[in-house]
Amino acid sequence: MHATEGTPATASEFPDLAGFFAPRRVALLGATDDLSKFGGRCMKQLIDFGFPGEIYPINPKRPQVMGVACHPSLADTPHTPDHVGIVLPAHAVAGAVDDCIARGVRFATVFSAGFGEQGTPEALQAQNALVERARAGGLRLMGPNCNGLVNFVDQFALTSTASINGPRAPAGDIGIVGQSGGAGQVNVMWRAIEMGLGISYQVSCGNAADLDLMDYASFMLESESTRVVLMLAERLADGPKLRALSHRAAQLRKPLVMVKAGRTEMGAKAAASHTGAVTGADAVFDKVLEQLGILRVDDYPDLYQCAMLLRRQRWTRSAQVSATSISGGNLVLLADMGAGQGLQWPEFSDTTQAQLQSQLPGFGTATNPADLTAAAIGQKGAFAQAAKTILEDPAIDLMMPVLTIASADEVRSVAQLSEQSDKAVAIIWTGRASDDATITPRSLVQQGHAVYRDAGPCVRAVSALQRFSAFLHTYAERVPQRPAGLDRARALSLLPEQPGLLSEWQAKQVLDCYGLRATREHLATDIAQAQDYARQIGAPVAMKIQSPDIPHKTEAKALKLRVQGDALVAQAYTEVMANARAYKPDAKIEGVLVQEMVEDAQEMLIGMSHDPTWGPIITVGLGGVWVEVLKDVTFLLAPSHPDHIRAALAGLRGFGMLQEVRGRPARDLDALVDFIQRFSWLAADLGPRIEELDVNPLAVRAKGQGVAMVDALMLLGAPKA
């Protein structure tokens, strides 16, 4: 069982992969000298990367491979390998897995294709059988259909990729995990190394039929060699597990940055054909990752561009930033882009203004971002000193010095500022060093600085840093706590065993167990009761048929509004019952709901559905017909913390409808947040039984007057075994 938001994750929830990433002995089934074959390329990379342990090539036709003694089978190796690579035709993989189990091997990487990625029932069945076979024998698998791993920390590469050809790059502090080999090893790992970054571990896990992205990412997070983990996700089937991983990342203060493929229908189809992936609703992914503190980016370069700044772990207090340059054009673009990412450009303090004017004679009034103009040109150290002065302003949390063509001394002084400052510094360097070709953006990155060639990647990285910093500041306070007055046992007892729709009245009785109150209403089973209840309410009422077989009351003409007075109540009761029986003669009729009419309230929709990745998901938006017209909705995990709920509401385009507008009083936001919080706990507790649940509309009255359910629909699934 994975941790939920109420129970933070621990490292023990994930498998110990030390022997997988850093084995002492490795065997390769299908090893060969032929570099045109996958097994030959894997063998060469294993040797060339400098693996310090024992290597056992397995090939019954060869006495040795690439100068290393070869063995006819796993059973013939002198010692049990910790990790076995399998490069064999698909039909031979099951036998190889049996051999691994018989030898006592704990980990195997199945490079072979021909399994779940094909999408056929037969291929999926073969893949599932392979995993069952392995797990039963105590063997954990990577793959199938994968391109292996690279461990720069321990000099272990079990992969065929040419992206590590040549001298081994030094180990760094960025972990990379993805399903794709080309994207993970070339688009991200190789490109990151080219710009001066260092990688700790990289995994391309293919179909991820057994061990998955979260398992590898967990190992990387726990490693002291890793500060940031980059994830390339085509398939994320286990949302609760990713939720547990995100909690652990927050505890360790190490960011997870993700590209999630499948934003569009076409992208989702491509992901499915690539790794047998099934993607969930993309809008849900966006909102859930935001709540978990996982930084979603759009493109592969954004992964390592963000990691370059995040790995420095200089967390910000706010989104208040500054930039300075002698190039006003660069600053204008930077300001525009920064504002688009939510960055704020506060005014400098009087002290900062005075210091800048004393440092740069002739310099005018500084605005933020600060164009130093010609006043800084030719004055040794002036640029860095001005940047330092601005960075020391209490209102500034992050500085972006913008260099163009600069002297080596000027570049070094900015790098020194980046090194010594407790605040974050993201350097933009659009040009080169004018007098020393050895000083380059790459050389500064290798020294640990965050250096960007253009404003766009820098601004996106700064935004990511600010978002993760804000998440860390409130993480410990945002673990949901169960509200008082939730009666799960009673709610479960009210759910019928049979699946299907409940009537509105039945659904509201279940919701009431979680403190979710309806309007003033009563279920009448005859005219006299209906009249009595209407008199008790003392205002115009709605009268609605109650039947699990008639969910659409308007369509059945089994709904009457604004009814008042004994005669009209009697007439409405008779007509509602008659119309319901005419509409569906065999319907089970429970009675007629006599319900208070709610006027002058903001209608909201609060719903629950099941996402294939995350399980119960809460949908919140404007209610009534507006949800269908505007489609202005947001999504929340279950259970949710009140702060997450408030942030989600504030993100709605129609949030202004809940605030004071032209004399119309503000709505009861506190009561709405409490309702959604309790609703989210009901979804978390009863999610296995409830397929769908809608409260639409929920009437949100004026501030201090609370909320009330007007209508509710609940669809039950069959009880889970």
Side-chain angles (χ1 to χ4, degrees):
M1 180 176 292
H2 306 306
T4 68
E5 247 187 292
T7 54
T10 63
S12 62
E13 293 197 44
F14 297 91
D16 180 1
L17 298 184
F20 173 89
F21 278 96
R24 296 166 300 166
R25 304 179 183 94
V26 179
L28 184 61
L29 293 171
T32 176
D33 290 293
D34 188 349
L35 294 181
S36 69
K37 296 183 176 179
F38 200 98
R41 296 193 297 275
C42 282
M43 185 68 184
K44 187 174 190 307
Q45 296 293 27
L46 182 59
I47 295 170
D48 288 352
F49 208 68
F51 178 60
E54 298 176 42
I55 302 174
Y56 303 145
I58 309 296
N59 190 325
K61 298 179 181 179
R62 298 175 183 270
Q64 65 176 27
V65 173
M66 297 184 186
V68 181
C70 197
H71 307 276
S73 70
L74 268 179
D76 297 309
T77 57
H79 302 284
T80 301
D82 301 300
H83 192 154
V84 173
I86 300 175
V87 188
L88 297 171
H91 65 81
V93 171
V97 164
D98 287 340
D99 291 344
C100 288
I101 294 169
R103 194 71 173 90
V105 176
R106 292 188 58 218
F107 299 104
T109 292
V110 181
F111 294 98
S112 314
F115 292 92
E117 78 281 356
Q118 294 187 341
T120 65
E122 296 78 14
L124 289 168
Q125 183 179 3
Q127 179 170 287
N128 293 335
L130 191 70
V131 172
E132 291 176 10
R133 195 182 209 123
R135 288 187 176 176
L139 176 69
R140 301 305 303 268
L141 301 179
M142 176 157 80
N145 181 39
C146 71
N147 204 26
L149 75 144
V150 185
N151 177 350
F152 289 88
V153 178
D154 302 292
Q155 302 176 206
F156 173 51
L158 189 61
T159 180
S160 72
T161 181
S163 62
I164 57 171
N165 285 354
R168 185 180 65 254
D173 51 16
I174 299 171
I176 303 169
V177 57
Q179 286 146 321
S180 169
Q185 293 178 328
V186 180
N187 297 50
V188 180
M189 181 181 73
W190 182 79
R191 292 280 295 274
I193 293 172
E194 281 291 293
M195 69 181 297
L197 293 168
I199 308 303
S200 54
Y201 311 96
Q202 186 276 328
V203 160
S204 296
C205 60
N207 294 2
D210 180 25
L211 294 170
D212 60 23
L213 291 175
M214 285 76 79
D215 293 321
Y216 307 115
S218 172
F219 174 86
M220 296 176 189
L221 283 175
E222 299 295 336
S223 169
E224 294 183 359
S225 301
T226 305
R227 291 189 171 190
V228 183
V229 174
L230 311 181
M231 303 181 73
L232 297 75
E234 297 174 29
R235 181 175 70 93
L236 283 170
D238 195 337
K241 193 172 181 180
L242 181 58
R243 194 171 185 175
L245 181 74
S246 74
H247 282 300
R248 188 61 183 151
Q251 291 167 351
L252 295 169
R253 303 175 72 82
K254 295 182 179 181
L256 295 170
V257 190
M258 179 184 292
V259 163
K260 171 63 175 67
R263 279 191 181 274
T264 64
E265 182 180 354
M266 186 58 67
K269 288 179 179 178
S273 65
H274 188 202
T275 61
V278 178
T279 58
D282 192 70
V284 173
F285 261 100
D286 255 349
K287 294 300 181 182
V288 170
L289 294 187
E290 181 181 326
Q291 292 164 51
L292 296 180
I294 298 174
L295 302 167
R296 186 176 187 181
V297 297
D298 292 329
D299 200 359
Y300 296 133
D302 286 329
L303 288 169
Y304 53 82
Q305 298 275 14
C306 288
M308 184 163 52
L309 183 60
L310 290 164
R311 67 183 176 140
R312 294 172 61 80
Q313 297 185 336
R314 291 188 168 105
W315 314 123
T316 62
R317 297 169 304 159
S318 71
Q320 297 191 155
V321 302
S322 183
T324 187
S325 180
I326 60 170
S327 170
N330 275 293
L331 294 179
V332 171
L333 181 62
L334 187 59
D336 286 344
M337 288 187 168
Q341 290 286 337
L343 304 183
Q344 301 164 14
W345 304 87
E347 293 184 3
F348 297 138
S349 68
D350 292 342
T351 300
T352 299
Q353 290 268 6
Q355 288 178 343
L356 288 173
Q357 289 167 356
S358 67
Q359 292 163 8
L360 299 170
F363 181 63
T365 301
T367 57
N368 185 17
D371 183 358
L372 300 182
T373 68
I377 298 176
Q379 295 191 46
K380 186 175 181 179
F383 183 92
Q385 183 58 46
K388 182 175 184 293
T389 297
I390 294 171
L391 193 56
E392 290 173 348
D393 191 311
I396 304 301
D397 281 328
L398 180 143
M399 164 58 78
M400 289 174 278
V402 183
L403 297 168
T404 53
I405 303 296
S407 69
D409 284 344
E410 190 166 69
V411 174
R412 290 190 191 98
S413 64
V414 170
Q416 185 178 29
L417 172 67
S418 167
E419 179 64 33
Q420 295 177 350
S421 175
D422 291 334
K423 296 181 181 179
V425 176
I427 302 168
I428 301 176
W429 189 3
T430 64
R432 60 177 175 82
S434 60
D435 52 358
D436 188 345
T438 66
I439 298 179
T440 64
R442 187 174 192 271
S443 69
L444 294 188
V445 172
Q446 287 175 323
Q447 294 169 22
H449 304 291
V451 184
Y452 300 89
R453 299 296 274 168
D454 299 290
C458 180
V459 165
R460 291 192 291 273
V462 169
S463 174
L465 174 67
Q466 187 274 322
R467 285 181 281 139
F468 189 69
S469 298
F471 176 80
L472 287 182
H473 292 326
T474 58
Y475 165 72
E477 304 165 4
R478 289 188 171 187
V479 175
Q481 303 297 322
R482 182 178 286 270
L486 308 187
D487 193 341
R488 180 174 182 270
R490 180 169 177 267
L492 284 170
S493 72
L494 293 175
L495 299 180
E497 288 295 315
Q498 295 301 315
L501 279 171
L502 301 188
S503 70
E504 175 187 341
W505 174 255
Q506 286 178 303
K508 286 177 176 177
Q509 302 313 299
V510 177
L511 290 158
D512 184 72
C513 297
Y514 279 72
L516 303 171
R517 308 304 182 205
T519 55
R520 290 185 296 161
E521 58 191 39
H522 304 276
L523 183 66
T525 55
D526 58 41
I527 291 175
Q529 277 188 341
Q531 291 171 325
D532 182 46
Y533 293 149
R535 286 193 295 270
Q536 290 179 34
I537 292 171
V541 296
M543 298 181 67
K544 301 187 278 188
I545 198 67
Q546 293 301 292
S547 169
D549 302 316
I550 307 178
H552 304 295
K553 306 175 187 71
T554 303
E555 184 178 304
K557 298 180 181 179
L559 165 67
K560 299 291 182 179
L561 301 178
R562 296 180 179 84
V563 182
Q564 191 168 20
D566 283 356
L568 292 177
V569 168
Q571 179 182 338
Y573 184 95
T574 301
E575 290 181 5
V576 164
M577 291 289 284
N579 290 344
R581 290 195 175 102
Y583 178 77
K584 192 171 178 59
D586 60 344
K588 177 185 177 182
I589 305 296
E590 297 173 356
V592 174
L593 189 68
V594 181
Q595 180 184 44
E596 166 193 16
M597 293 288 300
V598 179
E599 307 289 352
D600 191 29
Q602 177 57 49
E603 293 186 344
M604 298 292 292
L605 159 74
I606 315 297
M608 185 217 86
S609 59
H610 281 271
D611 182 86
T613 297
W614 304 106
I617 287 290
I618 309 304
T619 302
V620 177
L622 295 181
V625 298
W626 294 112
V627 68
E628 298 177 12
V629 175
L630 300 179
K631 295 181 171 55
D632 182 18
V633 297
T634 190
F635 305 98
L636 289 158
L637 283 167
S640 278
H641 187 277
D643 286 353
H644 288 145
I645 296 168
R646 289 180 184 277
L649 290 169
L652 291 170
R653 296 193 303 277
F655 180 65
M657 301 292 287
L658 297 170
Q659 299 173 305
E660 184 177 356
V661 181
R662 294 189 176 183
R664 181 175 180 264
R667 304 293 97 183
D668 199 332
L669 189 59
D670 290 341
L672 175 59
V673 170
D674 180 69
F675 185 97
I676 297 171
Q677 181 188 17
R678 291 173 177 275
F679 188 97
S680 78
W681 278 98
L682 181 148
D685 287 347
L686 308 186
R689 281 298 323 273
I690 300 175
E691 293 289 341
E692 294 180 26
L693 173 59
D694 281 344
V695 173
N696 184 25
L698 174 71
V700 185
R701 296 184 169 107
K703 187 174 182 179
Q705 296 180 18
V707 301
M709 292 183 288
V710 177
D711 201 353
L713 182 149
M714 184 180 293
L715 174 64
L716 297 184
K720 301 296 189 293

